[in-house]
Amino acid sequence: MKGVFVTATDTEVGKTVTSCALSLLLPNARVIKPIQTGCLEGERGMLVPDVEMVQSLGGRANALHCFYPPCSPHLAMELARTSLTCADLAGEVRAMADREPDAPVIVEGAGGIYVPINANETMLDLMLELGLPVLLVVGNRLGCLNQARLSLEALQLRGLRVLGMVLNRVQPANVCDPGCGSQAVGEDEERILTDNVRSLKVLGEKTGAPLLADIPYLGGDIARDRLETLFAPVAHTIASSLRPLDRKRDEQDLAFDREHLWHPYTSATNPLPVYVVKDTRKNRIRLWDGRELVDGMSSWWCAVHGYGNERLVHALQAQAARMSHVMFGGLTHRPAIDLARRILSLVPQGLTHVFFADSGSVSVEVALKMAVQYQISLGRAKRRHFLTPMGGYHGDTQGAMSVCDPINGMHTLFTGLLPRHYFMERPSCRFDAPYDPSSLDDARAKISALKDEIAAVILEPVVQGAGGMWFYHPRYLVDLHKLCREHDILLIADEIATGFGRTGRLFACEWAGITPDIMCLGKALTGGMMTGAATLATERVARGIGSASPELGGGLLMHGPTFMANPLFCATALASIEELLASPWQERVAHLQSLLEEGLAPCRGREGVADVRVLGAIGVVETQHPVDMAALQQFFVDRGVWIRPFGRLVYLMPPLVTPDADLQRLCSAVVEAVEKGLA
Ligand code: PMP
């Protein structure tokens, strides 16, 4: 779809005249009014004056939903006992545009930017949903400088591209705008209106949204040729924005990427193909070439609220304006205090101390240091090793790597560099099978043999993620926790992937009802808006470390990254937690679980499939042989979904806000891949 969204600083400032002019000037263009209020009763049904006006001048126009009362769409719909979402409206606009792909659309909003469409959405949400560039119509009257600036800020802060402004004189020259004051005379008004033109030019230069036209009062005198002359510069700007995408630039950018950018786990000299993303919205990823993909990955499990969530965007913007960063050494701030307080109120009881780190891997490094420092401070300097199950994954920094699965991980590559730790059997008892106490035998044997060397056991509670997407029985955790206690070995729960509702509980440790000694949080902590993580510790651990004598470290925790407790991270994380808690997340996860179970069931027992398992909002198809990632990736993109398999795993971890139809699309793509023998 190509075109422009015409919005305004207010109602009655000349949107329709602008749209009308554009429909005449842009070849084949058509005006679409998604919602039109203030319609009239005509002999042959509803009369839509704005549409009639365009048509009377020879332009094309449609109103999709018409209402009689001249009021805001939300109220008109309420009175008509109906309701529409922006997704519905955008879908209809798109469908209409798709019928004539070469014809530009001029989508005309109702009223101004924050005019409500329903209880949750405004005209701005419709603009975001459509993703078209925007033209802002400004009524030339007293107060319009303020209105124009507010409107531009609202549009640009949400990432919309504003092509420019049109200034419309809305009163005839002999009528003085009442807003100019009772004493005002024509001369005063003229001064104001002339200055508006000058000031908006300056504002346009500053904001990159130029003033494209200064339209005099037109009144009833709307002759086609006059309109065409006055609006020609506006049409020219819009026409340039409609030119087909510059494929050459895309190609050049991709070539640069291929030459110079490293992507995760790929070769710099022989990289796998990548797809260029233009923007992201809700649970969709939009590519440069116009394709839209349903996101099945939550961007590696962090974007639980989808993308562009209003509360998160506002939190980030407000914090950026107030204080984007300040060092945490010797200083503190409200965002960090508020976030820590909120986290501690939610995590299993007993965790009392918070260290803010800059990524998941770093939070694991901190957790490992904490455990070793704890043991050192108790005079057990030999306890410098970790015990961890096979199939685990904790990050890519060196300490974290050293406790990742030694076979899938990078141990052989970095032999000599990575410290050597101890590995035990993967928790073998499935989440959905009766608990088998013997699944803990290996852990028991290793702990008993190595207890004097082990500072802590580190593992991912209930769900082993990147190491194999394996779901194990929570009783394993209960018994392991007990075992660690018996030997004063600390238990580190890496909840980076499982935290914040993904498994159906807020934290996976809740399945076992345990409080680990140390807990790592990351990924969904910020809802995917920013990087950031946290390492939490119990009073026992914090006091233990704090009580060390000077020769044993003097009680200081030896870590302190530059961006520790970055205020942008803290404010965004707090907003993300509030957003999650304000949502019916438990019902959503339960619902996604049932849809995933149903949607992936056809893969069960199929040739090439080793296992199908679902827990919370995680659906996994384990294949018998490693998949061809590049081929499968292409297959999924061709079906409009974003799923990134690895090894023998094709899995789904969609944003919790994924609509049913999109989830079904994700599942169908996986089923089709299995049927075609691609997975
Ligand atoms: N621990 C777990 C369980 C993870 O899943 C990950 C990331 N996949 C990490 C640690 C590392 O986090 P980051 O990528 O933010 O460093």
Side-chain angles (χ1 to χ4, degrees):
M1 179 171 65
K2 56 180 187 176
V4 64
F5 194 107
V6 179
T7 188
T9 48
D10 205 344
T11 185
E12 298 295 328
V13 292
K15 275 194 312 290
T16 302
V17 103
T18 306
S19 306
C20 179
L22 293 177
S23 77
L24 304 175
L25 283 157
L26 298 168
N28 285 328
R30 128 201 331 254
V31 178
I32 302 177
K33 297 202 78 170
I35 302 181
Q36 175 76 53
T37 58
C39 300
L40 305 170
E41 198 89 57
E43 272 172 25
R44 281 180 289 124
M46 219 175 253
L47 261 176
V48 189
D50 292 357
V51 167
E52 308 240 319
M53 174 179 141
V54 179
Q55 287 169 348
S56 70
L57 288 163
R60 299 198 300 159
N62 289 77
L64 302 182
H65 297 274
C66 304
F67 300 91
Y68 291 113
C71 60
S72 156
H74 82 292
L75 183 56
M77 283 196 261
E78 209 175 285
L79 294 169
R81 295 185 195 290
T82 178
S83 161
L84 287 162
T85 65
C86 290
D88 296 333
L89 292 168
E92 290 178 45
V93 171
R94 251 187 233 112
M96 184 166 264
D98 287 349
R99 271 183 246 143
E100 292 176 61
D102 293 329
V105 288
I106 300 150
V107 183
E108 189 187 323
I113 289 163
Y114 282 123
V115 162
I117 290 180
N118 52 47
N120 301 315
E121 296 175 304
T122 66
M123 220 25 95
L124 182 60
D125 293 297
L126 180 58
M127 292 182 226
L128 289 166
E129 198 74 51
L130 289 166
L132 290 169
V134 176
L135 180 68
L136 179 67
V137 179
V138 184
N140 193 357
R141 53 162 75 128
L142 188 71
C144 78
L145 298 180
N146 173 57
Q147 304 279 21
R149 194 166 184 146
L150 283 173
S151 302
L152 277 183
E153 200 164 282
L155 294 166
Q156 291 181 327
L157 276 177
R158 294 308 301 271
L160 285 162
R161 183 171 158 224
V162 185
L163 294 176
M165 293 180 279
V166 171
L167 187 61
N168 252 325
R169 180 84 189 251
V170 287
Q171 295 274 22
N174 60 348
V175 178
C176 191
D177 189 320
C180 291
S182 54
Q183 313 283 307
V185 290
E187 219 174 282
D188 300 323
E189 192 193 36
E190 202 45 49
R191 202 178 307 121
I192 293 168
L193 303 191
T194 314
D195 172 70
N196 284 343
V197 182
R198 195 170 49 109
S199 296
L200 280 191
K201 273 189 188 151
V202 175
L203 180 67
E205 274 159 28
K206 255 197 244 163
T207 55
L211 180 63
L212 301 171
D214 167 22
I215 309 293
Y217 178 71
L218 292 170
D221 167 31
I222 309 188
R224 183 173 176 147
D225 52 353
R226 181 127 194 262
L227 273 189
E228 287 184 346
T229 314
L230 289 169
F231 281 92
V234 186
H236 178 75
T237 300
I238 291 169
S240 347
S241 82
L242 298 178
R243 283 202 199 104
L245 292 175
D246 184 354
R247 295 264 168 240
K248 222 163 102 203
R249 195 181 144 205
D250 290 0
E251 298 286 313
Q252 282 167 355
D253 285 355
L254 263 177
F256 182 90
D257 185 286
R258 222 172 4 253
E259 283 290 310
H260 300 285
L261 290 187
W262 243 305
H263 285 265
Y265 313 107
T266 44
S267 155
T269 49
N270 185 24
L272 289 173
V274 290
Y275 303 86
V276 187
V277 179
K278 181 175 80 122
D279 58 19
T280 51
R281 177 153 169 78
K282 293 188 175 167
N283 68 317
R284 302 289 183 99
I285 297 173
R286 298 195 280 221
L287 302 183
W288 262 17
D289 57 14
R291 283 183 291 176
E292 190 165 302
L293 309 179
V294 172
D295 181 17
M297 298 282 96
S298 301
S299 280
W300 275 337
W301 328 341
C302 58
V304 273
H305 315 297
Y307 306 94
N309 177 281
E310 204 174 335
R311 189 196 300 247
L312 271 63
V313 170
H314 281 161
L316 184 58
Q317 285 168 344
Q319 189 56 51
R322 219 173 284 135
M323 168 174 64
S324 64
H325 186 61
V326 68
M327 64 188 281
F328 210 53
L331 299 172
T332 192
H333 46 74
R334 258 281 141 67
I337 296 166
D338 288 348
L339 176 61
R341 194 178 269 137
R342 197 72 181 107
I343 289 175
L344 292 180
S345 74
L346 298 173
V347 291
Q349 218 178 0
L351 289 160
T352 52
H353 284 70
V354 183
F355 187 103
F356 287 124
D358 26 17
S359 71
S361 300
V362 173
S363 78
V364 169
E365 299 290 336
V366 173
L368 300 180
K369 278 189 185 175
M370 277 182 184
V372 169
Q373 278 199 241
Y374 169 80
Q375 300 292 3
I376 290 175
S377 67
L378 296 185
R380 302 172 186 153
K382 277 205 187 136
R383 290 198 178 189
R384 282 169 179 268
H385 291 277
F386 297 96
L387 177 64
T388 187
M390 303 289 283
Y393 176 82
H394 300 284
D396 291 348
T397 50
Q398 286 180 31
M401 257 200 304
S402 72
V403 287
C404 288
D405 185 287
I407 296 162
N408 294 332
M410 292 160 269
H411 292 250
T412 38
L413 201 58
F414 297 110
T415 309
L417 178 68
L418 293 187
R420 291 170 67 90
H421 296 304
Y422 296 108
F423 293 88
M424 56 189 179
E425 256 175 26
R426 183 174 87 165
S428 55
C429 189
R430 290 177 74 103
F431 184 90
D432 51 7
Y435 180 56
D436 172 7
S438 74
S439 61
L440 203 77
D441 286 354
D442 193 46
R444 191 173 287 112
K446 296 261 161 60
I447 287 178
S448 136
L450 301 164
K451 59 181 182 293
D452 295 332
E453 291 180 59
I454 297 173
V457 168
I458 177 167
L459 84 174
E460 297 150 276
V462 179
V463 174
Q464 287 188 311
M469 307 302 295
W470 174 246
F471 313 150
Y472 63 87
H473 205 290
R475 275 286 303 279
Y476 176 94
L477 264 187
V478 177
D479 290 352
L480 180 69
H481 185 236
K482 223 184 290 160
L483 202 55
C484 288
R485 271 287 143 91
E486 284 164 21
H487 299 282
D488 203 11
I489 289 171
L490 299 181
L491 184 69
I492 304 173
D494 177 349
E495 290 253 15
I496 290 166
T498 49
F500 301 102
R502 180 58 66 180
T503 68
R505 299 285 165 96
L506 200 52
F507 300 100
C509 281
E510 291 175 18
W511 286 106
I514 61 155
T515 299
D517 302 289
I518 298 173
M519 187 190 245
C520 297
L521 299 174
K523 290 192 185 280
L525 172 58
T526 66
M529 282 294 280
M530 336 234 324
T531 181
T535 313
L536 318 179
T538 58
E539 197 65 29
R540 179 165 74 113
V541 173
R543 280 194 184 282
I545 297 170
S547 67
S549 58
E551 59 282 8
L552 296 179
L556 317 175
L557 177 64
M558 293 315 287
H559 212 97
T562 308
F563 287 100
M564 181 168 177
N566 170 258
L568 295 176
F569 148 69
C570 293
T572 317
L574 189 60
S576 175
I577 293 173
E578 299 306 348
E579 180 70 16
L580 187 74
L581 298 180
S583 73
W585 64 270
Q586 276 143 311
E587 289 96 273
R588 279 184 184 162
V589 173
H591 182 63
L592 288 174
Q593 171 159 348
S594 66
L595 292 180
L596 284 166
E597 269 159 8
E598 195 184 311
L600 296 179
C603 298
R604 267 207 181 93
R606 285 262 173 184
E607 205 185 314
V609 173
D611 189 31
V612 177
R613 47 186 181 265
V614 174
L615 176 64
I618 315 170
V620 181
V621 174
E622 185 177 331
T623 58
Q624 274 156 356
H625 305 289
V627 298
D628 177 343
M629 169 137 66
L632 201 47
Q633 192 86 92
Q634 178 72 53
F635 173 85
F636 286 136
V637 168
D638 290 344
R639 270 140 197 86
V641 295
W642 181 246
I643 303 171
R644 184 152 173 95
F646 68 94
R648 295 191 299 110
L649 296 161
V650 184
Y651 71 96
L652 299 174
M653 273 218 198
L656 304 187
V657 294
T658 303
D660 290 7
D662 281 357
L663 195 91
Q664 276 144 9
R665 210 155 131 195
L666 289 165
C667 291
S668 308
V670 174
V671 172
E672 196 188 338
V674 164
E675 283 169 355
K676 293 215 155 81
L678 284 161

